[in-house]
mmCIF file of all heavy atoms in Angstrom:
data_model
loop_
_atom_site.group_PDB
_atom_site.id
_atom_site.type_symbol
_atom_site.label_atom_id
_atom_site.label_comp_id
_atom_site.label_asym_id
_atom_site.label_seq_id
_atom_site.Cartn_x
_atom_site.Cartn_y
_atom_site.Cartn_z
ATOM 1 N N GLY K 226 0.807 -1.201 0.000
ATOM 2 C CA GLY K 226 0.000 0.000 0.000
ATOM 3 C C GLY K 226 0.841 1.252 0.000
ATOM 4 O O GLY K 226 2.052 1.209 -0.221
ATOM 5 N N LEU K 227 0.182 2.371 0.251
ATOM 6 C CA LEU K 227 0.811 3.689 0.295
ATOM 7 C C LEU K 227 0.865 4.167 1.735
ATOM 8 O O LEU K 227 -0.162 4.202 2.422
ATOM 9 C CB LEU K 227 0.022 4.677 -0.563
ATOM 10 C CG LEU K 227 0.439 6.143 -0.498
ATOM 11 C CD1 LEU K 227 1.850 6.314 -1.036
ATOM 12 C CD2 LEU K 227 -0.543 7.001 -1.270
ATOM 13 N N VAL K 228 2.061 4.537 2.191
ATOM 14 C CA VAL K 228 2.239 5.023 3.553
ATOM 15 C C VAL K 228 3.168 6.222 3.561
ATOM 16 O O VAL K 228 3.955 6.436 2.630
ATOM 17 C CB VAL K 228 2.795 3.937 4.499
ATOM 18 C CG1 VAL K 228 1.833 2.764 4.612
ATOM 19 C CG2 VAL K 228 4.156 3.464 4.018
ATOM 20 N N GLN K 229 3.070 7.005 4.626
ATOM 21 C CA GLN K 229 3.976 8.119 4.837
ATOM 22 C C GLN K 229 5.307 7.620 5.388
ATOM 23 O O GLN K 229 5.383 6.565 6.015
ATOM 24 C CB GLN K 229 3.373 9.121 5.808
ATOM 25 C CG GLN K 229 2.124 9.825 5.321
ATOM 26 C CD GLN K 229 2.438 10.920 4.341
ATOM 27 O OE1 GLN K 229 2.312 10.733 3.128
ATOM 28 N NE2 GLN K 229 2.864 12.066 4.847
ATOM 29 N N ALA K 230 6.364 8.371 5.134
ATOM 30 C CA ALA K 230 7.658 8.038 5.709
ATOM 31 C C ALA K 230 7.539 7.915 7.226
ATOM 32 O O ALA K 230 6.890 8.734 7.876
ATOM 33 C CB ALA K 230 8.693 9.088 5.341
ATOM 34 N N GLY K 231 8.167 6.882 7.762
ATOM 35 C CA GLY K 231 8.079 6.610 9.183
ATOM 36 C C GLY K 231 6.975 5.651 9.558
ATOM 37 O O GLY K 231 6.929 5.186 10.704
ATOM 38 N N GLY K 232 6.104 5.335 8.615
ATOM 39 C CA GLY K 232 5.009 4.428 8.870
ATOM 40 C C GLY K 232 5.418 2.976 8.756
ATOM 41 O O GLY K 232 6.586 2.650 8.536
ATOM 42 N N SER K 233 4.438 2.093 8.883
ATOM 43 C CA SER K 233 4.682 0.655 8.878
ATOM 44 C C SER K 233 3.719 -0.065 7.951
ATOM 45 O O SER K 233 2.595 0.384 7.722
ATOM 46 C CB SER K 233 4.532 0.080 10.291
ATOM 47 O OG SER K 233 5.471 0.633 11.189
ATOM 48 N N LEU K 234 4.171 -1.188 7.428
ATOM 49 C CA LEU K 234 3.351 -2.103 6.659
ATOM 50 C C LEU K 234 3.737 -3.525 7.018
ATOM 51 O O LEU K 234 4.877 -3.781 7.417
ATOM 52 C CB LEU K 234 3.530 -1.908 5.152
ATOM 53 C CG LEU K 234 2.875 -0.702 4.492
ATOM 54 C CD1 LEU K 234 3.323 -0.622 3.032
ATOM 55 C CD2 LEU K 234 1.360 -0.788 4.573
ATOM 56 N N ARG K 235 2.795 -4.437 6.854
ATOM 57 C CA ARG K 235 3.037 -5.842 7.102
ATOM 58 C C ARG K 235 2.651 -6.630 5.857
ATOM 59 O O ARG K 235 1.480 -6.658 5.476
ATOM 60 C CB ARG K 235 2.222 -6.325 8.300
ATOM 61 C CG ARG K 235 2.462 -7.776 8.706
ATOM 62 C CD ARG K 235 1.616 -8.115 9.932
ATOM 63 N NE ARG K 235 1.744 -9.494 10.366
ATOM 64 C CZ ARG K 235 2.677 -9.944 11.193
ATOM 65 N NH1 ARG K 235 3.600 -9.113 11.673
ATOM 66 N NH2 ARG K 235 2.706 -11.219 11.549
ATOM 67 N N LEU K 236 3.632 -7.251 5.223
ATOM 68 C CA LEU K 236 3.403 -8.054 4.043
ATOM 69 C C LEU K 236 3.238 -9.518 4.431
ATOM 70 O O LEU K 236 3.926 -10.015 5.318
ATOM 71 C CB LEU K 236 4.549 -7.919 3.051
ATOM 72 C CG LEU K 236 4.911 -6.510 2.588
ATOM 73 C CD1 LEU K 236 6.013 -6.583 1.526
ATOM 74 C CD2 LEU K 236 3.692 -5.783 2.051
ATOM 75 N N SER K 237 2.349 -10.186 3.728
ATOM 76 C CA SER K 237 2.096 -11.594 3.970
ATOM 77 C C SER K 237 2.148 -12.347 2.654
ATOM 78 O O SER K 237 1.722 -11.840 1.617
ATOM 79 C CB SER K 237 0.725 -11.786 4.635
ATOM 80 O OG SER K 237 0.433 -13.162 4.813
ATOM 81 N N CYS K 238 2.661 -13.558 2.695
ATOM 82 C CA CYS K 238 2.733 -14.417 1.517
ATOM 83 C C CYS K 238 2.381 -15.831 1.934
ATOM 84 O O CYS K 238 3.066 -16.418 2.779
ATOM 85 C CB CYS K 238 4.129 -14.369 0.902
ATOM 86 S SG CYS K 238 4.397 -15.552 -0.436
ATOM 87 N N ALA K 239 1.337 -16.367 1.343
ATOM 88 C CA ALA K 239 0.875 -17.708 1.656
ATOM 89 C C ALA K 239 1.036 -18.619 0.447
ATOM 90 O O ALA K 239 0.577 -18.294 -0.652
ATOM 91 C CB ALA K 239 -0.581 -17.682 2.100
ATOM 92 N N ALA K 240 1.686 -19.738 0.654
ATOM 93 C CA ALA K 240 1.834 -20.743 -0.390
ATOM 94 C C ALA K 240 0.671 -21.720 -0.337
ATOM 95 O O ALA K 240 0.238 -22.130 0.742
ATOM 96 C CB ALA K 240 3.151 -21.498 -0.228
ATOM 97 N N SER K 241 0.168 -22.072 -1.499
ATOM 98 C CA SER K 241 -0.950 -23.004 -1.566
ATOM 99 C C SER K 241 -0.748 -23.965 -2.726
ATOM 100 O O SER K 241 0.000 -23.688 -3.659
ATOM 101 C CB SER K 241 -2.283 -22.263 -1.710
ATOM 102 O OG SER K 241 -2.315 -21.516 -2.909
ATOM 103 N N GLY K 242 -1.442 -25.079 -2.658
ATOM 104 C CA GLY K 242 -1.338 -26.092 -3.688
ATOM 105 C C GLY K 242 -0.916 -27.423 -3.108
ATOM 106 O O GLY K 242 -1.008 -27.656 -1.906
ATOM 107 N N ASN K 243 -0.435 -28.283 -3.975
ATOM 108 C CA ASN K 243 -0.038 -29.633 -3.578
ATOM 109 C C ASN K 243 1.391 -29.611 -3.047
ATOM 110 O O ASN K 243 2.332 -30.039 -3.707
ATOM 111 C CB ASN K 243 -0.169 -30.579 -4.766
ATOM 112 C CG ASN K 243 -0.065 -32.029 -4.362
ATOM 113 O OD1 ASN K 243 -0.308 -32.384 -3.209
ATOM 114 N ND2 ASN K 243 0.297 -32.880 -5.307
ATOM 115 N N ILE K 244 1.547 -29.112 -1.824
ATOM 116 C CA ILE K 244 2.858 -28.873 -1.229
ATOM 117 C C ILE K 244 3.302 -30.052 -0.388
ATOM 118 O O ILE K 244 2.569 -30.519 0.485
ATOM 119 C CB ILE K 244 2.837 -27.599 -0.372
ATOM 120 C CG1 ILE K 244 2.483 -26.384 -1.229
ATOM 121 C CG2 ILE K 244 4.189 -27.405 0.309
ATOM 122 C CD1 ILE K 244 2.228 -25.136 -0.424
ATOM 123 N N PHE K 245 4.527 -30.497 -0.645
ATOM 124 C CA PHE K 245 5.142 -31.510 0.197
ATOM 125 C C PHE K 245 5.990 -30.861 1.290
ATOM 126 O O PHE K 245 5.887 -31.217 2.455
ATOM 127 C CB PHE K 245 5.992 -32.471 -0.640
ATOM 128 C CG PHE K 245 6.655 -33.549 0.170
ATOM 129 C CD1 PHE K 245 5.938 -34.650 0.592
ATOM 130 C CD2 PHE K 245 7.992 -33.471 0.518
ATOM 131 C CE1 PHE K 245 6.534 -35.651 1.348
ATOM 132 C CE2 PHE K 245 8.604 -34.459 1.261
ATOM 133 C CZ PHE K 245 7.871 -35.555 1.680
ATOM 134 N N SER K 246 6.821 -29.899 0.904
ATOM 135 C CA SER K 246 7.645 -29.196 1.869
ATOM 136 C C SER K 246 8.133 -27.887 1.260
ATOM 137 O O SER K 246 8.144 -27.721 0.045
ATOM 138 C CB SER K 246 8.833 -30.043 2.327
ATOM 139 O OG SER K 246 9.706 -30.324 1.251
ATOM 140 N N ILE K 247 8.549 -26.965 2.126
ATOM 141 C CA ILE K 247 9.096 -25.680 1.715
ATOM 142 C C ILE K 247 10.426 -25.470 2.411
ATOM 143 O O ILE K 247 10.522 -25.633 3.630
ATOM 144 C CB ILE K 247 8.140 -24.525 2.055
ATOM 145 C CG1 ILE K 247 6.784 -24.733 1.391
ATOM 146 C CG2 ILE K 247 8.753 -23.194 1.640
ATOM 147 C CD1 ILE K 247 5.764 -23.666 1.731
ATOM 148 N N ASN K 248 11.430 -25.104 1.644
ATOM 149 C CA ASN K 248 12.739 -24.839 2.213
ATOM 150 C C ASN K 248 12.868 -23.337 2.506
ATOM 151 O O ASN K 248 12.098 -22.796 3.292
ATOM 152 C CB ASN K 248 13.835 -25.334 1.267
ATOM 153 C CG ASN K 248 15.180 -25.458 1.959
ATOM 154 O OD1 ASN K 248 15.301 -25.238 3.165
ATOM 155 N ND2 ASN K 248 16.213 -25.799 1.204
ATOM 156 N N ASN K 249 13.807 -22.659 1.876
ATOM 157 C CA ASN K 249 14.012 -21.239 2.149
ATOM 158 C C ASN K 249 12.875 -20.393 1.584
ATOM 159 O O ASN K 249 12.289 -20.726 0.553
ATOM 160 C CB ASN K 249 15.338 -20.761 1.565
ATOM 161 C CG ASN K 249 16.531 -21.440 2.205
ATOM 162 O OD1 ASN K 249 16.425 -22.041 3.271
ATOM 163 N ND2 ASN K 249 17.685 -21.329 1.559
ATOM 164 N N MET K 250 12.595 -19.282 2.263
ATOM 165 C CA MET K 250 11.612 -18.319 1.804
ATOM 166 C C MET K 250 12.218 -16.926 1.939
ATOM 167 O O MET K 250 13.137 -16.719 2.739
ATOM 168 C CB MET K 250 10.318 -18.401 2.614
ATOM 169 C CG MET K 250 9.693 -19.785 2.668
ATOM 170 S SD MET K 250 8.110 -19.825 3.561
ATOM 171 C CE MET K 250 7.018 -19.155 2.300
ATOM 172 N N GLY K 251 11.704 -15.987 1.176
ATOM 173 C CA GLY K 251 12.253 -14.648 1.267
ATOM 174 C C GLY K 251 11.411 -13.612 0.561
ATOM 175 O O GLY K 251 10.412 -13.922 -0.093
ATOM 176 N N TRP K 252 11.832 -12.375 0.734
ATOM 177 C CA TRP K 252 11.209 -11.229 0.082
ATOM 178 C C TRP K 252 12.252 -10.479 -0.728
ATOM 179 O O TRP K 252 13.357 -10.204 -0.237
ATOM 180 C CB TRP K 252 10.586 -10.279 1.102
ATOM 181 C CG TRP K 252 9.348 -10.811 1.743
ATOM 182 C CD1 TRP K 252 9.246 -11.488 2.910
ATOM 183 C CD2 TRP K 252 8.017 -10.687 1.233
ATOM 184 N NE1 TRP K 252 7.934 -11.810 3.172
ATOM 185 C CE2 TRP K 252 7.160 -11.325 2.157
ATOM 186 C CE3 TRP K 252 7.465 -10.101 0.093
ATOM 187 C CZ2 TRP K 252 5.776 -11.394 1.969
ATOM 188 C CZ3 TRP K 252 6.100 -10.167 -0.094
ATOM 189 C CH2 TRP K 252 5.277 -10.812 0.839
ATOM 190 N N TYR K 253 11.899 -10.148 -1.956
ATOM 191 C CA TYR K 253 12.705 -9.324 -2.837
ATOM 192 C C TYR K 253 11.917 -8.073 -3.186
ATOM 193 O O TYR K 253 10.706 -8.041 -3.062
ATOM 194 C CB TYR K 253 13.060 -10.073 -4.124
ATOM 195 C CG TYR K 253 14.019 -11.229 -3.940
ATOM 196 C CD1 TYR K 253 13.604 -12.413 -3.341
ATOM 197 C CD2 TYR K 253 15.333 -11.147 -4.388
ATOM 198 C CE1 TYR K 253 14.474 -13.475 -3.176
ATOM 199 C CE2 TYR K 253 16.208 -12.206 -4.232
ATOM 200 C CZ TYR K 253 15.776 -13.368 -3.630
ATOM 201 O OH TYR K 253 16.639 -14.424 -3.474
ATOM 202 N N ARG K 254 12.626 -7.050 -3.650
ATOM 203 C CA ARG K 254 11.939 -5.853 -4.117
ATOM 204 C C ARG K 254 12.640 -5.302 -5.346
ATOM 205 O O ARG K 254 13.824 -5.529 -5.561
ATOM 206 C CB ARG K 254 11.857 -4.785 -3.026
ATOM 207 C CG ARG K 254 13.183 -4.139 -2.665
ATOM 208 C CD ARG K 254 13.009 -3.199 -1.481
ATOM 209 N NE ARG K 254 14.262 -2.572 -1.094
ATOM 210 C CZ ARG K 254 14.430 -1.877 0.018
ATOM 211 N NH1 ARG K 254 13.414 -1.709 0.867
ATOM 212 N NH2 ARG K 254 15.620 -1.332 0.296
ATOM 213 N N GLN K 255 11.877 -4.561 -6.133
ATOM 214 C CA GLN K 255 12.406 -3.970 -7.347
ATOM 215 C C GLN K 255 11.759 -2.611 -7.573
ATOM 216 O O GLN K 255 10.537 -2.504 -7.625
ATOM 217 C CB GLN K 255 12.156 -4.875 -8.551
ATOM 218 C CG GLN K 255 12.820 -4.404 -9.833
ATOM 219 C CD GLN K 255 12.766 -5.455 -10.917
ATOM 220 O OE1 GLN K 255 11.887 -6.305 -10.932
ATOM 221 N NE2 GLN K 255 13.722 -5.405 -11.825
ATOM 222 N N ALA K 256 12.594 -1.599 -7.685
ATOM 223 C CA ALA K 256 12.136 -0.260 -8.020
ATOM 224 C C ALA K 256 12.292 -0.047 -9.521
ATOM 225 O O ALA K 256 13.123 -0.695 -10.166
ATOM 226 C CB ALA K 256 12.927 0.788 -7.243
ATOM 227 N N PRO K 257 11.507 0.864 -10.118
ATOM 228 C CA PRO K 257 11.621 1.122 -11.553
ATOM 229 C C PRO K 257 13.044 1.476 -11.954
ATOM 230 O O PRO K 257 13.677 2.333 -11.333
ATOM 231 C CB PRO K 257 10.669 2.291 -11.781
ATOM 232 C CG PRO K 257 9.657 2.163 -10.692
ATOM 233 C CD PRO K 257 10.436 1.662 -9.506
ATOM 234 N N GLY K 258 13.554 0.810 -12.975
ATOM 235 C CA GLY K 258 14.890 1.078 -13.464
ATOM 236 C C GLY K 258 16.011 0.489 -12.635
ATOM 237 O O GLY K 258 17.184 0.735 -12.930
ATOM 238 N N LYS K 259 15.673 -0.285 -11.609
ATOM 239 C CA LYS K 259 16.682 -0.878 -10.746
ATOM 240 C C LYS K 259 16.583 -2.400 -10.770
ATOM 241 O O LYS K 259 15.567 -2.967 -11.164
ATOM 242 C CB LYS K 259 16.527 -0.372 -9.315
ATOM 243 C CG LYS K 259 16.722 1.128 -9.153
ATOM 244 C CD LYS K 259 16.595 1.543 -7.695
ATOM 245 C CE LYS K 259 16.804 3.031 -7.522
ATOM 246 N NZ LYS K 259 16.659 3.440 -6.100
ATOM 247 N N GLN K 260 17.652 -3.043 -10.339
ATOM 248 C CA GLN K 260 17.686 -4.496 -10.272
ATOM 249 C C GLN K 260 16.901 -5.002 -9.069
ATOM 250 O O GLN K 260 16.811 -4.329 -8.038
ATOM 251 C CB GLN K 260 19.130 -4.988 -10.189
ATOM 252 C CG GLN K 260 19.988 -4.639 -11.394
ATOM 253 C CD GLN K 260 19.503 -5.315 -12.646
ATOM 254 O OE1 GLN K 260 19.231 -6.527 -12.640
ATOM 255 N NE2 GLN K 260 19.387 -4.562 -13.717
ATOM 256 N N ARG K 261 16.338 -6.188 -9.216
ATOM 257 C CA ARG K 261 15.671 -6.815 -8.095
ATOM 258 C C ARG K 261 16.711 -7.190 -7.035
ATOM 259 O O ARG K 261 17.775 -7.727 -7.359
ATOM 260 C CB ARG K 261 14.910 -8.064 -8.561
ATOM 261 C CG ARG K 261 14.100 -8.730 -7.472
ATOM 262 C CD ARG K 261 13.279 -9.894 -8.012
ATOM 263 N NE ARG K 261 12.318 -9.461 -9.005
ATOM 264 C CZ ARG K 261 11.390 -10.257 -9.539
ATOM 265 N NH1 ARG K 261 11.306 -11.533 -9.152
ATOM 266 N NH2 ARG K 261 10.560 -9.785 -10.450
ATOM 267 N N GLU K 262 16.402 -6.918 -5.782
ATOM 268 C CA GLU K 262 17.330 -7.181 -4.697
ATOM 269 C C GLU K 262 16.664 -7.961 -3.578
ATOM 270 O O GLU K 262 15.463 -7.837 -3.339
ATOM 271 C CB GLU K 262 17.890 -5.867 -4.137
ATOM 272 C CG GLU K 262 16.843 -4.969 -3.493
ATOM 273 C CD GLU K 262 17.431 -3.747 -2.815
ATOM 274 O OE1 GLU K 262 18.651 -3.741 -2.539
ATOM 275 O OE2 GLU K 262 16.671 -2.790 -2.555
ATOM 276 N N LEU K 263 17.463 -8.745 -2.896
ATOM 277 C CA LEU K 263 16.978 -9.477 -1.736
ATOM 278 C C LEU K 263 16.806 -8.525 -0.567
ATOM 279 O O LEU K 263 17.734 -7.797 -0.210
ATOM 280 C CB LEU K 263 17.950 -10.594 -1.364
ATOM 281 C CG LEU K 263 17.610 -11.382 -0.094
ATOM 282 C CD1 LEU K 263 16.345 -12.200 -0.291
ATOM 283 C CD2 LEU K 263 18.772 -12.292 0.296
ATOM 284 N N VAL K 264 15.629 -8.535 0.021
ATOM 285 C CA VAL K 264 15.343 -7.726 1.196
ATOM 286 C C VAL K 264 15.584 -8.520 2.466
ATOM 287 O O VAL K 264 16.251 -8.053 3.392
ATOM 288 C CB VAL K 264 13.896 -7.198 1.167
ATOM 289 C CG1 VAL K 264 13.586 -6.398 2.428
ATOM 290 C CG2 VAL K 264 13.670 -6.343 -0.072
#
């Protein structure tokens, strides 16, 4: 969403489907004109 500087957000990611197991998980971000980076 949209927040003011100094504010907070909580991102959630849920995996679904025919899952046996999950190893590593993570969040990446990408700004326009920039490379995707690990957060």
Side-chain angles (χ1 to χ4, degrees):
L227 173 64
V228 298
Q229 295 282 100
S233 298
L234 285 173
R235 183 179 178 87
L236 305 184
S237 177
C238 173
S241 62
N243 192 23
I244 299 171
F245 180 78
S246 63
I247 302 177
N248 197 3
N249 296 344
M250 306 183 78
W252 288 94
Y253 291 73
R254 70 186 179 191
Q255 187 169 26
K259 298 182 179 179
Q260 298 295 313
R261 184 175 298 187
E262 64 174 342
L263 176 67
V264 178

